[in-house]
Amino acid sequence: MLGAWIACEQTMADEGGAGGPAQLFAQHCASCHGADRRGGMGPALLPENLERLRQGEAIKVIGEGRPATQMQGFAPTLSDAQIRALAGWIYTPVFPAPQWTSADIKASRVENKEAPSLDDKPVFKGDPLNLFVVVEGGDHHVSILDGDSLTPIYRFASRFSLHGGPKFSPNGRYVYFASRDGWLTKFDLWKFKILAEIRVGINTRNLAISDDGKYVIAANYLPRNLVLLDGDLQLIKILPATSLDGKDSSRVSAVYDAAPRKSFIAALKDIPEVWEISYDPNAAPIFDGYVHDYKMQEGLGKPGFLNPRRIQLAAPLDDFFFNASYSEVMGTSREGMGQVISLDVRKKIADLPLAGMPHLGSGITWKWKGRMVMATTNLKEGRVSIIDMETWQPIKEIPTCGPGFFLRSHENSRYAFVDSMMSPACKDTLQVIDKESLTVVKNLTPEPGKTLAHVEFTRDGRYALASLMENKGAIIVFDGVTLKEVKRIPMSKPIGKYNVWNKINRSEGTSH
Protein backbone atom coordinates (compact mmCIF):
# COMPACT_ATOMS: atom_id res chain seq x y z
CA MET A 1 0.00 0.00 0.00
CA LEU A 2 2.71 2.42 1.01
CA GLY A 3 4.68 1.71 -2.18
CA ALA A 4 1.65 2.52 -4.32
CA TRP A 5 1.09 5.70 -2.34
CA ILE A 6 4.74 6.78 -2.80
CA ALA A 7 4.50 6.11 -6.53
CA CYS A 8 1.35 8.24 -6.72
CA GLU A 9 3.00 10.98 -4.67
CA GLN A 10 6.06 10.95 -6.91
CA THR A 11 3.96 11.28 -10.04
CA MET A 12 2.17 14.30 -8.65
CA ALA A 13 5.43 15.81 -7.45
CA ASP A 14 6.97 15.38 -10.86
CA GLU A 15 3.95 17.05 -12.43
CA GLY A 16 4.22 19.94 -9.99
CA GLY A 17 7.96 20.35 -10.27
CA ALA A 18 10.40 20.67 -7.40
CA GLY A 19 8.01 22.95 -5.54
CA GLY A 20 5.02 20.62 -5.95
CA PRO A 21 2.81 20.02 -2.90
CA ALA A 22 3.92 16.38 -2.48
CA GLN A 23 7.57 17.38 -2.29
CA LEU A 24 6.78 20.31 -0.03
CA PHE A 25 4.91 17.97 2.30
CA ALA A 26 7.74 15.44 2.31
CA GLN A 27 10.29 18.18 3.05
CA HIS A 28 8.44 20.22 5.67
CA CYS A 29 5.60 18.14 7.12
CA ALA A 30 6.26 14.40 6.91
CA SER A 31 8.61 14.24 9.89
CA CYS A 32 5.77 15.25 12.23
CA HIS A 33 2.62 14.22 10.36
CA GLY A 34 3.89 10.99 8.79
CA ALA A 35 4.98 10.26 5.24
CA ASP A 36 1.56 8.77 4.54
CA ARG A 37 -0.25 11.61 6.37
CA ARG A 38 -1.53 9.17 9.02
CA GLY A 39 -0.01 11.32 11.75
CA GLY A 40 2.89 10.92 14.13
CA MET A 41 4.04 13.53 16.60
CA GLY A 42 1.52 15.78 14.85
CA PRO A 43 -2.07 14.90 13.91
CA ALA A 44 -3.14 13.04 10.79
CA LEU A 45 -3.62 15.32 7.78
CA LEU A 46 -6.39 13.61 5.84
CA PRO A 47 -9.77 14.91 4.64
CA GLU A 48 -11.50 12.68 7.20
CA ASN A 49 -9.57 14.35 10.02
CA LEU A 50 -9.97 17.91 8.78
CA GLU A 51 -13.75 18.10 8.60
CA ARG A 52 -13.92 20.92 11.16
CA LEU A 53 -10.98 22.90 9.81
CA ARG A 54 -11.75 25.05 6.78
CA GLN A 55 -9.06 25.38 4.15
CA GLY A 56 -8.75 29.08 4.90
CA GLU A 57 -7.97 28.25 8.52
CA ALA A 58 -5.52 25.57 7.40
CA ILE A 59 -3.69 28.14 5.27
CA LYS A 60 -3.39 30.38 8.31
CA VAL A 61 -2.07 27.55 10.50
CA ILE A 62 0.52 26.54 7.92
CA GLY A 63 1.67 30.12 7.57
CA GLU A 64 1.54 31.27 11.19
CA GLY A 65 1.81 28.02 13.15
CA ARG A 66 -0.33 26.96 16.08
CA PRO A 67 0.25 28.45 19.56
CA ALA A 68 1.30 26.14 22.40
CA THR A 69 2.27 23.34 19.98
CA GLN A 70 5.37 22.37 18.03
CA MET A 71 3.69 23.52 14.82
CA GLN A 72 5.89 26.32 13.50
CA GLY A 73 4.81 28.88 10.94
CA PHE A 74 6.17 28.47 7.40
CA ALA A 75 5.44 31.97 6.12
CA PRO A 76 9.13 32.95 6.42
CA THR A 77 10.29 30.01 4.24
CA LEU A 78 7.39 29.29 1.85
CA SER A 79 5.57 31.54 -0.58
CA ASP A 80 1.85 32.20 -0.38
CA ALA A 81 1.35 29.96 -3.42
CA GLN A 82 3.28 27.11 -1.82
CA ILE A 83 1.32 27.41 1.42
CA ARG A 84 -1.95 27.32 -0.51
CA ALA A 85 -0.75 24.31 -2.47
CA LEU A 86 0.11 22.50 0.76
CA ALA A 87 -3.30 23.30 2.22
CA GLY A 88 -5.00 21.94 -0.88
CA TRP A 89 -2.81 18.84 -0.78
CA ILE A 90 -3.81 17.76 2.72
CA TYR A 91 -7.50 17.91 1.75
CA THR A 92 -7.01 15.46 -1.13
CA PRO A 93 -7.93 11.82 -0.42
CA VAL A 94 -5.26 9.14 -0.14
CA PHE A 95 -5.83 6.03 -2.28
CA PRO A 96 -6.00 3.35 -1.16
CA ALA A 97 -7.25 4.56 2.21
CA PRO A 98 -4.52 4.30 4.87
CA GLN A 99 -4.91 1.53 7.43
CA TRP A 100 -4.04 1.14 11.09
CA THR A 101 -3.44 -2.49 11.98
CA SER A 102 -3.30 -4.42 15.24
CA ALA A 103 0.48 -4.29 14.95
CA ASP A 104 0.33 -0.49 14.60
CA ILE A 105 -1.94 -0.28 17.63
CA LYS A 106 0.26 -2.45 19.84
CA ALA A 107 3.44 -0.67 18.75
CA SER A 108 1.95 2.74 19.61
CA ARG A 109 1.16 1.96 23.24
CA VAL A 110 3.05 4.01 25.84
CA GLU A 111 2.88 3.26 29.55
CA ASN A 112 3.99 5.60 32.29
CA LYS A 113 6.69 3.63 34.10
CA GLU A 114 6.68 6.24 36.86
CA ALA A 115 2.98 5.83 37.58
CA PRO A 116 2.13 6.50 41.23
CA SER A 117 1.05 3.86 43.68
CA LEU A 118 -2.65 3.15 43.48
CA ASP A 119 -3.56 4.03 47.06
CA ASP A 120 -6.89 5.55 47.95
CA LYS A 121 -5.75 9.05 48.81
CA PRO A 122 -6.03 11.88 46.25
CA VAL A 123 -3.18 14.38 46.13
CA PHE A 124 -5.63 17.26 46.61
CA LYS A 125 -8.18 18.30 49.20
CA GLY A 126 -11.80 18.33 48.19
CA ASP A 127 -14.50 16.05 46.84
CA PRO A 128 -13.03 13.84 44.07
CA LEU A 129 -16.54 13.21 42.77
CA ASN A 130 -17.23 16.92 42.28
CA LEU A 131 -14.30 17.51 39.96
CA PHE A 132 -14.80 18.90 36.47
CA VAL A 133 -12.64 17.79 33.56
CA VAL A 134 -12.40 20.78 31.18
CA VAL A 135 -11.21 20.22 27.60
CA GLU A 136 -9.50 23.36 26.31
CA GLY A 137 -9.35 23.30 22.52
CA GLY A 138 -7.53 26.60 22.13
CA ASP A 139 -4.12 25.26 23.13
CA HIS A 140 -4.91 21.54 23.51
CA HIS A 141 -4.86 21.23 27.28
CA VAL A 142 -7.10 19.74 29.96
CA SER A 143 -7.84 21.52 33.22
CA ILE A 144 -9.11 19.86 36.37
CA LEU A 145 -11.56 22.12 38.20
CA ASP A 146 -12.65 21.74 41.84
CA GLY A 147 -16.44 21.91 41.76
CA ASP A 148 -16.70 23.04 45.39
CA SER A 149 -14.34 26.01 45.27
CA LEU A 150 -14.78 26.53 41.51
CA THR A 151 -11.03 26.90 41.02
CA PRO A 152 -8.61 25.07 38.70
CA ILE A 153 -6.30 22.70 40.59
CA TYR A 154 -4.32 21.08 37.75
CA ARG A 155 -3.63 21.50 34.02
CA PHE A 156 -1.81 19.32 31.49
CA ALA A 157 -1.22 19.09 27.73
CA SER A 158 -3.57 16.77 25.85
CA ARG A 159 -3.43 15.07 22.49
CA PHE A 160 -4.48 17.15 19.50
CA SER A 161 -8.21 17.80 19.11
CA LEU A 162 -9.91 15.68 21.75
CA HIS A 163 -13.22 14.49 20.34
CA GLY A 164 -16.31 13.09 22.02
CA GLY A 165 -16.76 13.56 25.75
CA PRO A 166 -14.21 11.94 28.06
CA LYS A 167 -15.45 8.85 29.93
CA PHE A 168 -14.91 7.91 33.57
CA SER A 169 -14.20 4.64 35.32
CA PRO A 170 -17.10 3.43 37.52
CA ASN A 171 -15.55 4.83 40.72
CA GLY A 172 -14.65 8.14 39.06
CA ARG A 173 -10.91 7.81 39.65
CA TYR A 174 -9.80 7.43 36.03
CA VAL A 175 -10.80 9.41 32.98
CA TYR A 176 -10.28 8.28 29.40
CA PHE A 177 -9.89 10.64 26.46
CA ALA A 178 -10.11 10.05 22.70
CA SER A 179 -8.47 12.40 20.20
CA ARG A 180 -9.67 13.01 16.68
CA ASP A 181 -6.61 11.24 15.25
CA GLY A 182 -7.00 8.07 17.25
CA TRP A 183 -5.11 8.47 20.53
CA LEU A 184 -6.69 7.16 23.73
CA THR A 185 -5.35 8.41 27.06
CA LYS A 186 -5.94 7.02 30.55
CA PHE A 187 -5.49 9.67 33.26
CA ASP A 188 -5.51 9.24 37.05
CA LEU A 189 -7.65 12.03 38.51
CA TRP A 190 -6.48 11.32 42.07
CA LYS A 191 -2.77 11.50 41.31
CA PHE A 192 -2.83 13.84 38.27
CA LYS A 193 -0.83 11.41 36.11
CA ILE A 194 -1.17 10.00 32.61
CA LEU A 195 -1.01 6.23 33.05
CA ALA A 196 -1.10 4.96 29.46
CA GLU A 197 -1.74 6.01 25.87
CA ILE A 198 -2.42 4.03 22.72
CA ARG A 199 -3.35 4.95 19.16
CA VAL A 200 -6.35 2.91 17.97
CA GLY A 201 -7.05 4.52 14.60
CA ILE A 202 -6.57 7.41 12.23
CA ASN A 203 -9.96 9.07 12.69
CA THR A 204 -11.69 8.23 15.96
CA ARG A 205 -15.16 9.44 16.94
CA ASN A 206 -15.56 8.51 20.60
CA LEU A 207 -15.05 5.84 23.24
CA ALA A 208 -17.04 4.06 25.91
CA ILE A 209 -16.14 2.31 29.20
CA SER A 210 -17.89 -0.83 30.43
CA ASP A 211 -19.86 -0.54 33.65
CA ASP A 212 -17.36 -2.78 35.44
CA GLY A 213 -14.37 -0.78 34.16
CA LYS A 214 -12.81 -3.84 32.51
CA TYR A 215 -13.26 -2.82 28.88
CA VAL A 216 -12.71 0.24 26.71
CA ILE A 217 -14.06 0.43 23.17
CA ALA A 218 -13.38 3.06 20.50
CA ALA A 219 -15.42 3.92 17.40
CA ASN A 220 -13.48 4.73 14.24
CA TYR A 221 -14.27 6.40 10.95
CA LEU A 222 -10.86 5.38 9.62
CA PRO A 223 -10.20 2.50 9.54
CA ARG A 224 -13.84 1.47 9.60
CA ASN A 225 -13.94 -0.54 12.78
CA LEU A 226 -14.36 -0.77 16.53
CA VAL A 227 -11.30 -1.38 18.70
CA LEU A 228 -11.75 -3.21 21.99
CA LEU A 229 -9.20 -2.88 24.80
CA ASP A 230 -8.94 -3.65 28.49
CA GLY A 231 -9.06 -0.98 31.19
CA ASP A 232 -5.29 -0.50 30.97
CA LEU A 233 -5.48 0.16 27.22
CA GLN A 234 -4.12 -3.19 26.10
CA LEU A 235 -5.55 -4.37 22.76
CA ILE A 236 -8.04 -7.25 22.94
CA LYS A 237 -9.50 -7.35 19.44
CA ILE A 238 -10.57 -5.36 16.39
CA LEU A 239 -14.15 -5.57 15.09
CA PRO A 240 -14.32 -4.57 11.39
CA ALA A 241 -17.53 -2.63 10.69
CA THR A 242 -18.73 -4.66 7.73
CA SER A 243 -22.03 -6.11 6.59
CA LEU A 244 -22.70 -9.77 7.24
CA ASP A 245 -21.61 -10.75 3.74
CA GLY A 246 -18.50 -8.58 4.00
CA LYS A 247 -19.34 -6.60 0.86
CA ASP A 248 -20.03 -3.27 2.54
CA SER A 249 -18.20 -1.37 5.25
CA SER A 250 -19.21 1.51 7.47
CA ARG A 251 -17.83 4.35 9.47
CA VAL A 252 -18.74 3.95 13.14
CA SER A 253 -20.49 7.12 14.28
CA ALA A 254 -20.43 6.41 18.01
CA VAL A 255 -20.38 3.72 20.65
CA TYR A 256 -22.16 3.79 24.02
CA ASP A 257 -22.15 1.74 27.21
CA ALA A 258 -25.55 0.17 27.98
CA ALA A 259 -24.74 -0.65 31.60
CA PRO A 260 -27.99 -2.44 32.56
CA ARG A 261 -27.45 -4.79 29.60
CA LYS A 262 -23.70 -5.28 30.17
CA SER A 263 -23.08 -4.35 26.57
CA PHE A 264 -21.87 -1.69 24.16
CA ILE A 265 -24.17 -0.26 21.47
CA ALA A 266 -22.57 0.93 18.22
CA ALA A 267 -24.04 3.28 15.61
CA LEU A 268 -23.01 2.54 12.02
CA LYS A 269 -23.19 5.49 9.65
CA ASP A 270 -23.22 3.67 6.31
CA ILE A 271 -24.86 0.30 6.96
CA PRO A 272 -28.50 -0.12 8.11
CA GLU A 273 -27.57 -1.98 11.28
CA VAL A 274 -27.16 -1.34 14.99
CA TRP A 275 -24.67 -3.52 16.85
CA GLU A 276 -24.86 -4.73 20.43
CA ILE A 277 -21.57 -6.08 21.79
CA SER A 278 -21.98 -7.87 25.11
CA TYR A 279 -19.22 -7.85 27.73
CA ASP A 280 -21.13 -10.39 29.82
CA PRO A 281 -19.11 -13.67 29.77
CA ASN A 282 -22.44 -15.54 29.98
CA ALA A 283 -23.98 -13.82 26.97
CA ALA A 284 -26.12 -16.06 24.76
CA PRO A 285 -24.57 -17.23 21.48
CA ILE A 286 -25.16 -15.20 18.33
CA PHE A 287 -26.87 -16.66 15.27
CA ASP A 288 -26.66 -14.37 12.27
CA GLY A 289 -29.51 -14.96 9.84
CA TYR A 290 -32.49 -17.26 10.36
CA VAL A 291 -32.50 -20.25 12.69
CA HIS A 292 -35.52 -22.53 12.92
CA ASP A 293 -34.97 -23.44 16.55
CA TYR A 294 -32.06 -21.86 18.39
CA LYS A 295 -32.45 -24.36 21.26
CA MET A 296 -31.51 -27.13 18.85
CA GLN A 297 -28.45 -25.18 17.74
CA GLU A 298 -29.60 -25.24 14.12
CA GLY A 299 -27.06 -22.88 12.64
CA LEU A 300 -23.49 -21.83 13.08
CA GLY A 301 -23.44 -19.76 16.22
CA LYS A 302 -20.60 -17.65 17.54
CA PRO A 303 -19.92 -16.61 21.12
CA GLY A 304 -22.09 -13.79 22.40
CA PHE A 305 -19.21 -12.47 24.51
CA LEU A 306 -17.38 -9.53 22.84
CA ASN A 307 -18.92 -10.15 19.41
CA PRO A 308 -21.47 -8.01 17.55
CA ARG A 309 -25.14 -8.95 17.60
CA ARG A 310 -26.70 -7.28 14.56
CA ILE A 311 -30.04 -5.48 14.43
CA GLN A 312 -31.16 -4.98 10.83
CA LEU A 313 -32.80 -1.63 10.00
CA ALA A 314 -34.42 0.02 7.01
CA ALA A 315 -31.92 2.91 7.06
CA PRO A 316 -28.65 3.75 8.85
CA LEU A 317 -28.77 5.69 12.11
CA ASP A 318 -25.91 7.79 13.43
CA ASP A 319 -27.28 9.43 16.57
CA PHE A 320 -28.81 7.70 19.60
CA PHE A 321 -30.69 8.25 22.82
CA PHE A 322 -31.62 5.46 25.26
CA ASN A 323 -34.45 4.97 27.71
CA ALA A 324 -33.54 4.44 31.37
CA SER A 325 -33.28 0.65 31.11
CA TYR A 326 -31.37 0.82 27.82
CA SER A 327 -33.88 -1.63 26.36
CA GLU A 328 -35.02 0.84 23.73
CA VAL A 329 -33.03 3.27 21.64
CA MET A 330 -34.19 6.36 19.77
CA GLY A 331 -32.18 6.90 16.61
CA THR A 332 -32.02 9.44 13.80
CA SER A 333 -30.03 9.86 10.63
CA ARG A 334 -28.64 13.06 9.14
CA GLU A 335 -31.44 12.81 6.59
CA GLY A 336 -33.96 13.30 9.38
CA MET A 337 -35.35 9.76 9.59
CA GLY A 338 -36.19 8.70 13.14
CA GLN A 339 -36.90 5.27 14.61
CA VAL A 340 -37.38 3.62 17.99
CA ILE A 341 -35.68 0.24 18.21
CA SER A 342 -36.17 -2.47 20.81
CA LEU A 343 -32.83 -4.06 21.69
CA ASP A 344 -34.67 -7.03 23.19
CA VAL A 345 -36.71 -8.02 20.13
CA ARG A 346 -34.10 -6.47 17.83
CA LYS A 347 -36.38 -4.54 15.51
CA LYS A 348 -38.05 -1.18 15.01
CA ILE A 349 -41.09 -0.69 17.21
CA ALA A 350 -42.06 2.90 16.34
CA ASP A 351 -41.33 5.82 14.06
CA LEU A 352 -39.92 8.96 15.62
CA PRO A 353 -41.63 12.03 14.14
CA LEU A 354 -38.78 14.52 14.42
CA ALA A 355 -38.12 16.84 11.51
CA GLY A 356 -34.93 18.76 10.77
CA MET A 357 -31.75 17.33 12.29
CA PRO A 358 -32.34 16.46 15.98
CA HIS A 359 -29.18 15.99 18.05
CA LEU A 360 -30.19 13.05 20.21
CA GLY A 361 -26.68 12.51 21.55
CA SER A 362 -27.15 15.64 23.69
CA GLY A 363 -30.66 14.78 24.80
CA ILE A 364 -31.80 14.90 28.45
CA THR A 365 -34.81 13.66 30.43
CA TRP A 366 -36.98 14.74 33.34
CA LYS A 367 -40.35 14.02 34.96
CA TRP A 368 -43.15 16.21 33.59
CA LYS A 369 -46.72 15.83 34.84
CA GLY A 370 -46.02 12.32 36.06
CA ARG A 371 -44.41 11.06 32.87
CA MET A 372 -40.82 10.83 31.73
CA VAL A 373 -40.03 13.10 28.81
CA MET A 374 -36.98 13.53 26.65
CA ALA A 375 -35.78 16.80 25.15
CA THR A 376 -33.44 17.29 22.21
CA THR A 377 -31.91 20.20 20.33
CA ASN A 378 -31.92 20.51 16.55
CA LEU A 379 -28.83 21.15 14.43
CA LYS A 380 -30.87 22.50 11.54
CA GLU A 381 -33.79 24.35 13.10
CA GLY A 382 -34.25 26.66 16.09
CA ARG A 383 -36.26 24.47 18.42
CA VAL A 384 -36.18 22.01 21.29
CA SER A 385 -38.42 18.95 20.84
CA ILE A 386 -40.09 17.37 23.88
CA ILE A 387 -40.92 13.65 23.44
CA ASP A 388 -43.06 11.38 25.63
CA MET A 389 -40.83 8.41 26.51
CA GLU A 390 -43.79 6.01 26.68
CA THR A 391 -45.68 6.87 23.51
CA TRP A 392 -42.67 8.28 21.58
CA GLN A 393 -44.89 11.13 20.42
CA PRO A 394 -43.98 14.84 20.49
CA ILE A 395 -45.48 16.81 23.37
CA LYS A 396 -44.24 20.24 22.39
CA GLU A 397 -41.82 22.10 20.13
CA ILE A 398 -40.17 24.99 22.00
CA PRO A 399 -38.94 27.74 19.63
CA THR A 400 -35.37 28.86 20.26
CA CYS A 401 -33.13 31.61 18.97
CA GLY A 402 -31.44 29.28 16.47
CA PRO A 403 -30.12 25.77 15.82
CA GLY A 404 -28.39 24.40 18.91
CA PHE A 405 -26.01 21.64 19.88
CA PHE A 406 -26.17 21.17 23.66
CA LEU A 407 -29.01 20.85 26.16
CA ARG A 408 -28.27 20.41 29.86
CA SER A 409 -30.05 20.32 33.22
CA HIS A 410 -29.84 18.64 36.65
CA GLU A 411 -32.24 16.69 38.87
CA ASN A 412 -32.13 19.50 41.43
CA SER A 413 -32.77 22.28 38.92
CA ARG A 414 -36.07 23.53 37.54
CA TYR A 415 -34.22 24.79 34.46
CA ALA A 416 -32.71 23.39 31.27
CA PHE A 417 -30.09 25.42 29.38
CA VAL A 418 -29.93 25.32 25.58
CA ASP A 419 -27.46 27.04 23.24
CA SER A 420 -27.88 28.28 19.68
CA MET A 421 -24.23 27.84 18.72
CA MET A 422 -25.09 26.76 15.16
CA SER A 423 -26.64 30.19 14.52
CA PRO A 424 -24.30 33.09 13.63
CA ALA A 425 -26.83 35.54 15.04
CA CYS A 426 -27.48 33.71 18.32
CA LYS A 427 -24.29 31.80 19.07
CA ASP A 428 -23.68 34.14 22.02
CA THR A 429 -26.94 33.36 23.82
CA LEU A 430 -28.00 30.64 26.23
CA GLN A 431 -31.74 30.26 26.65
CA VAL A 432 -33.21 28.95 29.89
CA ILE A 433 -36.24 26.65 29.69
CA ASP A 434 -38.56 26.13 32.62
CA LYS A 435 -39.01 22.34 32.78
CA GLU A 436 -42.55 22.62 34.15
CA SER A 437 -44.08 25.22 31.84
CA LEU A 438 -41.93 24.13 28.85
CA THR A 439 -41.23 27.74 27.93
CA VAL A 440 -38.13 29.90 27.57
CA VAL A 441 -37.99 32.12 30.64
CA LYS A 442 -34.65 33.92 30.23
CA ASN A 443 -31.90 34.71 27.73
CA LEU A 444 -28.28 34.90 28.91
CA THR A 445 -25.84 36.87 26.72
CA PRO A 446 -22.83 37.79 28.87
CA GLU A 447 -20.47 38.37 25.91
CA PRO A 448 -22.28 39.57 22.76
CA GLY A 449 -20.85 38.13 19.56
CA LYS A 450 -18.89 35.33 21.26
CA THR A 451 -19.87 31.67 21.29
CA LEU A 452 -21.47 30.50 24.55
CA ALA A 453 -22.46 26.85 24.90
CA HIS A 454 -22.21 23.52 26.76
CA VAL A 455 -23.57 23.88 30.27
CA GLU A 456 -22.68 21.39 32.99
CA PHE A 457 -23.91 21.52 36.59
CA THR A 458 -22.03 20.97 39.82
CA ARG A 459 -22.72 17.73 41.65
CA ASP A 460 -25.49 19.28 43.77
CA GLY A 461 -27.01 21.33 40.94
CA ARG A 462 -26.27 24.62 42.68
CA TYR A 463 -24.22 26.13 39.85
CA ALA A 464 -24.38 25.89 36.07
CA LEU A 465 -21.04 26.23 34.27
CA ALA A 466 -21.06 27.43 30.65
CA SER A 467 -18.25 27.58 28.09
CA LEU A 468 -17.24 30.85 26.44
CA MET A 469 -15.69 29.07 23.47
CA GLU A 470 -13.05 31.59 22.48
CA ASN A 471 -9.26 31.26 22.47
CA LYS A 472 -9.25 33.82 25.26
CA GLY A 473 -12.39 32.35 26.73
CA ALA A 474 -13.67 31.33 30.12
CA ILE A 475 -15.91 29.12 32.16
CA ILE A 476 -18.82 31.36 33.17
CA VAL A 477 -20.53 30.23 36.37
CA PHE A 478 -24.24 30.97 36.81
CA ASP A 479 -26.27 30.56 39.99
CA GLY A 480 -28.66 27.68 39.32
CA VAL A 481 -31.60 29.47 41.01
CA THR A 482 -31.17 33.20 40.35
CA LEU A 483 -29.47 32.64 36.94
CA LYS A 484 -27.05 35.45 37.76
CA GLU A 485 -23.38 35.25 36.81
CA VAL A 486 -21.24 34.62 39.90
CA LYS A 487 -17.76 33.93 38.55
CA ARG A 488 -15.49 33.65 35.50
CA ILE A 489 -12.57 31.26 35.21
CA PRO A 490 -10.21 32.08 32.31
CA MET A 491 -9.74 29.18 29.86
CA SER A 492 -8.42 28.68 26.33
CA LYS A 493 -11.49 27.81 24.25
CA PRO A 494 -13.15 25.44 26.75
CA ILE A 495 -15.13 23.27 24.37
CA GLY A 496 -16.57 21.07 27.11
CA LYS A 497 -16.59 20.35 30.82
CA TYR A 498 -17.63 17.14 32.52
CA ASN A 499 -18.58 16.60 36.17
CA VAL A 500 -17.43 13.26 37.61
CA TRP A 501 -20.49 12.64 39.79
CA ASN A 502 -23.02 13.53 37.11
CA LYS A 503 -21.33 11.31 34.56
CA ILE A 504 -20.75 8.16 36.60
CA ASN A 505 -24.26 8.35 38.05
CA ARG A 506 -25.81 8.97 34.63
CA SER A 507 -27.56 12.15 35.66
CA GLU A 508 -30.76 12.66 33.70
CA GLY A 509 -29.63 16.22 32.97
CA THR A 510 -26.46 15.38 31.04
CA SER A 511 -25.45 13.23 28.09
CA HIS A 512 -23.97 9.78 28.61
Side-chain angles (χ1 to χ4, degrees):
M1 180 201 74
L2 184 56
W5 181 87
I6 291 173
C8 177
E9 292 270 17
Q10 189 59 53
T11 298
M12 296 190 72
D14 290 344
E15 292 175 354
Q23 275 197 343
L24 288 172
F25 185 91
Q27 180 180 352
H28 299 285
C29 312
S31 61
C32 288
H33 298 280
D36 53 6
R37 290 160 53 195
R38 296 190 306 177
M41 182 171 59
L45 296 179
L46 300 163
E48 298 90 341
N49 294 66
L50 299 170
E51 291 173 337
R52 295 189 176 185
L53 184 70
R54 298 180 182 276
Q55 284 202 37
E57 296 174 40
I59 290 171
K60 183 178 180 180
V61 170
I62 295 171
E64 300 178 8
R66 189 182 288 275
T69 72
Q70 296 185 43
M71 175 65 189
Q72 62 176 312
F74 288 96
T77 56
L78 299 177
S79 67
D80 288 346
Q82 288 174 318
I83 289 174
R84 290 180 179 277
L86 264 178
W89 174 248
I90 63 177
Y91 283 88
T92 59
V94 170
F95 295 106
Q99 297 299 309
W100 194 252
T101 67
S102 59
D104 293 322
I105 295 173
K106 291 176 181 178
S108 72
R109 188 177 182 276
V110 180
E111 185 172 337
N112 185 355
K113 301 301 183 182
E114 299 179 359
S117 60
L118 301 181
D119 60 51
D120 59 357
K121 295 181 180 179
V123 296
F124 57 90
K125 294 182 179 180
D127 182 359
L129 296 182
N130 198 25
L131 296 180
F132 285 84
V133 172
V134 185
V135 175
E136 297 183 71
D139 59 0
H140 307 289
H141 277 70
V142 171
S143 283
I144 310 302
L145 184 69
D146 182 344
D148 292 326
S149 63
L150 297 174
T151 56
I153 56 177
Y154 190 73
R155 192 172 192 261
F156 64 98
S158 72
R159 290 286 176 174
F160 177 83
S161 190
L162 297 186
H163 185 68
K167 300 298 189 295
F168 298 92
S169 62
N171 66 356
R173 173 163 184 173
Y174 306 111
V175 59
Y176 296 81
F177 302 93
S179 75
R180 171 75 74 171
D181 54 343
W183 282 98
L184 304 190
T185 302
K186 180 181 181 180
F187 183 81
D188 187 340
L189 280 171
W190 290 12
K191 304 300 182 182
F192 297 151
K193 294 288 185 181
I194 292 175
L195 301 182
E197 292 190 297
I198 192 168
R199 192 179 186 195
V200 297
I202 300 172
N203 186 315
T204 297
R205 307 308 292 178
N206 79 324
L207 59 79
I209 312 299
S210 63
D211 191 51
D212 56 11
K214 292 181 179 179
Y215 302 102
V216 178
I217 191 167
N220 283 329
Y221 263 24
L222 185 68
R224 298 183 168 202
N225 61 26
L226 289 147
V227 178
L228 185 69
L229 310 103
D230 68 17
D232 292 322
L233 300 185
Q234 297 276 7
L235 178 65
I236 295 175
K237 67 189 301 185
I238 296 174
L239 299 171
T242 58
S243 57
L244 186 58
D245 60 12
K247 293 181 179 179
D248 299 309
S249 65
S250 177
R251 294 165 290 177
V252 186
S253 301
V255 63
Y256 303 90
D257 175 46
R261 304 177 66 84
K262 297 183 180 180
S263 65
F264 296 116
I265 310 298
L268 305 186
K269 193 175 183 68
D270 308 299
I271 296 176
E273 295 180 358
V274 170
W275 285 8
E276 181 169 15
I277 303 153
S278 178
Y279 51 82
D280 182 353
N282 298 315
I286 296 169
F287 294 91
D288 290 318
Y290 295 102
V291 179
H292 180 260
D293 186 350
Y294 74 90
K295 294 180 181 178
M296 300 297 294
Q297 300 291 294
E298 296 177 8
L300 298 176
K302 61 184 178 183
F305 179 54
L306 303 184
N307 282 312
R309 192 180 300 274
R310 301 167 186 265
I311 301 174
Q312 304 290 335
L313 305 173
L317 301 176
D318 62 5
D319 198 8
F320 285 170
F321 188 88
F322 298 88
N323 66 352
S325 68
Y326 283 76
S327 61
E328 295 170 344
V329 57
M330 305 165 65
T332 58
S333 67
R334 293 291 175 175
E335 289 72 34
M337 297 181 62
Q339 306 176 48
V340 181
I341 300 146
S342 168
L343 295 176
D344 291 330
V345 300
R346 299 199 294 278
K347 67 177 183 180
K348 184 183 84 168
I349 58 174
D351 290 313
L352 196 61
L354 289 174
M357 196 179 291
H359 188 225
L360 299 182
S362 285
I364 62 173
T365 59
W366 67 82
K367 278 283 186 72
W368 181 77
K369 295 186 176 179
R371 69 183 81 178
M372 187 63 72
V373 298
M374 176 265 188
T376 177
T377 57
N378 201 296
L379 302 178
K380 189 177 180 180
E381 300 175 5
R383 63 182 180 182
V384 169
S385 300
I386 311 295
I387 305 294
D388 188 313
M389 292 289 285
E390 292 185 8
T391 66
W392 305 111
Q393 294 301 307
I395 292 175
K396 186 173 182 179
E397 301 283 354
I398 304 174
T400 60
C401 185
F405 202 89
F406 297 106
L407 183 65
R408 292 290 186 269
S409 187
H410 190 277
E411 290 85 345
N412 295 335
S413 175
R414 65 179 290 183
Y415 299 120
F417 290 72
V418 62
D419 65 68
S420 295
M421 65 177 295
M422 314 299 288
S423 168
C426 299
K427 67 180 183 179
D428 54 5
T429 299
L430 286 176
Q431 295 186 281
V432 183
I433 296 171
D434 185 296
K435 294 193 295 187
E436 186 60 31
S437 66
L438 303 185
T439 57
V440 174
V441 294
K442 192 173 183 65
N443 290 350
L444 302 172
T445 313
E447 288 288 339
K450 297 183 178 181
T451 301
L452 185 66
H454 194 275
V455 167
E456 183 85 348
F457 280 79
T458 51
R459 172 179 176 171
D460 59 5
R462 180 180 179 184
Y463 297 110
L465 282 64
S467 290
L468 187 64
M469 294 185 183
E470 306 291 332
N471 286 333
K472 293 183 179 180
I475 299 295
I476 301 181
V477 182
F478 295 97
D479 187 286
V481 176
T482 67
L483 304 179
K484 295 183 180 298
E485 180 181 333
V486 297
K487 187 173 185 178
R488 290 196 186 196
I489 308 165
M491 296 277 176
S492 179
K493 197 175 184 180
I495 57 177
K497 72 215 72 63
Y498 309 88
N499 180 270
V500 175
W501 174 266
N502 292 339
K503 292 299 183 183
I504 66 175
N505 286 279
R506 292 180 168 82
S507 166
E508 65 182 28
T510 189
S511 62
H512 306 156

